Amino acid sequence: MFPSRTVMKVHFKSATLVSVTPEDADDIWTLYNIITVKDEVEAETIRKVIQESSSGGHNDSRKVKMWMKVSVEKADADLKAASLRLNGKNIRENEHVKMGAYHTLEVEPGRRVKIEKPQGWSRLDWELLEQAADPQNKAFIAAVMIDLGTAVFAMIDERGEVRVLEKLTTSVPKKKISSSSKLDGAVEKFFTQTIEKFLQVFELERLKAIVFASPLDWNQVLQRKLFEYASAREAKSIFAVKNKIICLPVQSMNVDCLKTILTVPQIAQTLRDTKSAKESKYLDDLFKQLHGDSDLAIFGEAQVTKAADQGAVKVLLLCDCLFRSSDISNRKKYALMVDTVKQNGGQVCIVGQESEARLMTVTGCAALLTFPLID
């Protein structure tokens, strides 16, 4: 599996109860949209409690860490701080807090939270949760950089952004100061550890490509050892991705070298069907229409909102910086625009960092239309 920090982790879910761990501000935003008034939310929290003096004198107060469950009455999100505050009445009595006492739970990345909807979860809520928890939305190409004794595991998304997930370092004795048998044993152990970590970090069937990179030829050794490992264990899932594996030379173990792999023909071919390629095509179509004074291309929030309300939007193009704004009111506004376009059968393209500058020349919000706006 991908490490939990790359996507929201779902621990348990039923028709009414879900247990999750958000991992970033986007996950906090998802929870803010999912949790509504009267939902029952449980999380670990800190509350100041009064401790009565045994002598009947001055009472002392102290902060106690505990799990509390509240019926939500109000929710506020601070996306800059990646924090969600849920205020409501305590609905599970404990030794420190009485039933009905008000408390505010603070949900942050890395903190587990349980959400219960007594009336059941809606289809839209499930879709939001599953989208946030799907590693395919945040990972694209798996990369393992390897040198003898060191392996770096990273993922490269469709925009070429590299994120290091894990690093494995083990001691391999030098041949000149060690017997050959000890060296061979240490090398074999290193490759076994690398393969096991690789299978732990990545969910193979979700990957578009797998890159083994090395300054020397250790990447080819890793590929051979991987299939020996698969044969010994009859691991069909490994053989299923055989054609996705590419061995590439790099100048060093610096992860910045991984950015160059996007120019490799085999990788470039894979990228042609990805979001980046679609972004370029949609932007090319948009500017071609705009330069030709076509009435089937528009830009600006007011115009695009009007077109969305009329069901005229064929493709909505929106900069990622707007769609993921840390300002709640702005984020709600663009989220509503996206939902409206989807409900009316249009497509949505959230433009990433590489193409944002181009779209921002026309406000960062634009659309290709199926028919001209109705005045």
Side-chain angles (χ1 to χ4, degrees), residues 252-290:
S252 72
M253 288 290 286
N254 190 322
V255 294
D256 286 340
C257 293
L258 291 176
K259 295 179 180 179
T260 63
I261 72 171
L262 298 182
T263 61
V264 175
Q266 190 172 345
I267 297 292
Q269 178 65 39
T270 303
L271 286 172
R272 287 182 187 135
D273 295 327
T274 68
K275 187 176 180 181
S276 292
K278 289 180 181 179
E279 285 178 9
S280 296
K281 181 181 183 303
Y282 287 145
L283 286 170
D284 287 344
D285 290 346
L286 173 72
F287 285 101
K288 181 179 179 180
Q289 297 270 19
L290 290 175

Side-chain angles (χ1 to χ4, degrees), residues 169-188:
T169 303
T170 187
S171 176
V172 178
K174 295 181 180 180
K175 190 172 183 179
K176 64 181 181 180
I177 60 173
S178 175
S179 68
S180 177
S181 60
K182 286 184 178 180
L183 176 65
D184 291 345
V187 170
E188 193 68 30

Side-chain angles (χ1 to χ4, degrees), residues 306-315 344 368-374:
K306 184 177 179 181
D309 292 339
Q310 293 180 10
V313 176
K314 180 180 179 181
V315 180
N344 290 327
L368 296 165
L369 307 180
T370 54
F371 56 84
L373 274 180
I374 302 171

Side-chain angles (χ1 to χ4, degrees), residues 60-88:
D60 295 325
S61 65
R62 60 191 178 95
K63 293 182 178 180
V64 178
K65 184 182 289 187
M66 68 186 79
W67 276 81
M68 282 187 64
K69 187 174 185 180
V70 303
S71 178
V72 177
E73 295 186 9
K74 184 181 179 182
D76 293 300
D78 183 349
L79 298 183
K80 290 181 180 179
S83 175
L84 174 63
R85 293 170 61 84
L86 305 170
N87 180 260

Side-chain angles (χ1 to χ4, degrees), residues 83-366:
S83 175
L84 174 63
R85 293 170 61 84
L86 305 170
N87 180 260
K89 291 181 180 179
N90 178 38
I91 57 175
R92 178 177 294 164
E93 190 170 10
N94 61 52
E95 61 178 311
H96 301 294
V97 186
K98 295 180 179 180
M99 291 281 288
Y102 276 95
H103 185 76
T104 298
L105 296 176
E106 188 162 352
V107 180
E108 298 176 333
R111 292 188 177 182
R112 186 168 176 172
V113 59
K114 298 177 183 178
I115 307 164
E116 188 166 2
K117 291 180 176 289
Q119 304 303 318
W121 286 65
S122 70
R123 179 183 59 81
L124 179 58
D125 288 338
W126 278 129
E127 288 178 356
L128 289 172
L129 182 67
E130 289 173 352
Q131 183 178 11
D134 187 352
Q136 193 172 17
N137 293 326
K138 297 187 179 181
F140 185 66
I141 299 171
V144 181
M145 297 188 74
I146 187 169
D147 199 358
L148 192 58
T150 302
V152 177
F153 304 85
M155 69 178 184
I156 308 168
D157 68 17
E158 63 245 15
R159 300 183 183 95
E161 297 175 357
V162 180
R163 178 184 294 182
V164 175
L165 304 178
E166 298 280 354
K167 184 175 181 179
L168 173 67
T169 303
T170 187
S171 176
V172 178
K174 295 181 180 180
K175 190 172 183 179
K176 64 181 181 180
I177 60 173
S178 175
S179 68
S180 177
S181 60
K182 286 184 178 180
L183 176 65
D184 291 345
V187 170
E188 193 68 30
K189 181 180 179 181
F190 166 66
F191 278 101
T192 299
Q193 291 176 334
T194 301
I195 290 168
E196 290 175 347
K197 178 63 71 174
F198 168 70
L199 297 175
Q200 175 190 342
V201 170
F202 298 107
E203 197 168 345
L204 301 186
E205 64 270 17
R206 293 184 179 273
L207 298 172
K208 300 296 183 182
I210 301 167
V211 174
F212 292 162
S214 176
L216 299 174
D217 294 328
W218 295 114
N219 50 357
Q220 296 180 20
V221 177
L222 176 60
Q223 183 181 35
R224 186 179 75 250
K225 294 289 185 181
L226 176 65
F227 292 116
E228 290 175 359
Y229 181 96
S231 296
R233 293 160 178 79
E234 298 183 354
K236 295 181 180 179
S237 61
I238 296 177
F239 289 112
V241 298
K242 183 176 182 179
N243 294 332
K244 294 182 180 181
I245 298 176
I246 305 167
C247 286
L248 293 177
V250 288
Q251 293 182 345
S252 72
M253 288 290 286
N254 190 322
V255 294
D256 286 340
C257 293
L258 291 176
K259 295 179 180 179
T260 63
I261 72 171
L262 298 182
T263 61
V264 175
Q266 190 172 345
I267 297 292
Q269 178 65 39
T270 303
L271 286 172
R272 287 182 187 135
D273 295 327
T274 68
K275 187 176 180 181
S276 292
K278 289 180 181 179
E279 285 178 9
S280 296
K281 181 181 183 303
Y282 287 145
L283 286 170
D284 287 344
D285 290 346
L286 173 72
F287 285 101
K288 181 179 179 180
Q289 297 270 19
L290 290 175
H291 292 154
D293 291 328
S294 170
D295 54 8
L296 294 180
I298 59 172
F299 63 89
E301 178 200 331
Q303 288 287 87
V304 174
T305 298
K306 184 177 179 181
D309 292 339
Q310 293 180 10
V313 176
K314 180 180 179 181
V315 180
L316 169 65
L317 294 104
L318 189 62
C319 276
D320 187 75
C321 62
L322 298 179
F323 183 64
R324 303 185 191 282
S325 170
S326 59
D327 183 279
I328 290 293
S329 60
N330 282 336
R331 192 148 179 166
K332 282 184 175 180
K333 176 174 59 183
Y334 289 114
L336 177 61
M337 182 188 293
V338 167
D339 289 341
T340 301
V341 169
K342 287 182 176 180
Q343 288 172 9
N344 290 327
Q347 297 183 54
V348 176
C349 179
I350 306 299
V351 177
Q353 292 179 355
E354 286 191 355
S355 303
E356 273 188 347
R358 189 179 179 193
L359 185 56
M360 286 301 292
T361 61
V362 287
T363 78
C365 179

